Amino acid sequence: MFQIRTYGKGELAQLYCPNITTAAARKKLMIWINYYPHLMDDLRIIGFSETAKTFTPAQVRLIVDALGEP
C-alpha cells in the first residue's frame, strides 16, 4: 500500500514510472503534473519549488489525488 510521506522527486517519479531512468521518470512526472489543471498552482501554494529535492507529504497528497496512487 502506498504511504503518504516525504519523497525525493526522483523516488516518487520512479514509483510512477519504474521501467525508465530516474531522470526520464522525473521529466514525465512533471509533464503529468503540469497537464492537470491547477495542480501546479496548488503545489506552489503549499510550497513547491522547482529547485527542491523532495515533495512534502502535503504535496504528495495533492499529486496522488490528481494522478492516483503509483
Side-chain angles (χ1 to χ4, degrees):
M1 175 169 205
F2 182 75
Q3 181 182 14
I4 299 294
R5 62 172 177 81
T6 299
Y7 284 90
K9 286 182 178 177
E11 179 186 15
L12 183 62
Q14 284 278 230
L15 292 174
Y16 278 101
C17 307
N19 298 322
I20 59 178
T21 67
T22 302
R26 252 191 333 264
K27 263 188 202 179
K28 185 172 277 207
L29 179 60
M30 293 311 297
I31 289 168
W32 292 346
I33 287 171
N34 284 302
Y35 176 78
Y36 278 83
H38 307 292
L39 179 53
M40 182 56 80
D41 293 336
D42 293 343
L43 287 168
R44 284 192 176 116
I45 287 168
I46 60 172
F48 174 80
S49 167
E50 300 287 339
T51 59
K53 302 288 186 207
T54 61
F55 289 113
T56 67
Q59 293 165 349
V60 171
R61 168 60 60 206
L62 286 175
I63 293 166
V64 169
D65 287 347
L67 302 180
E69 289 187 8

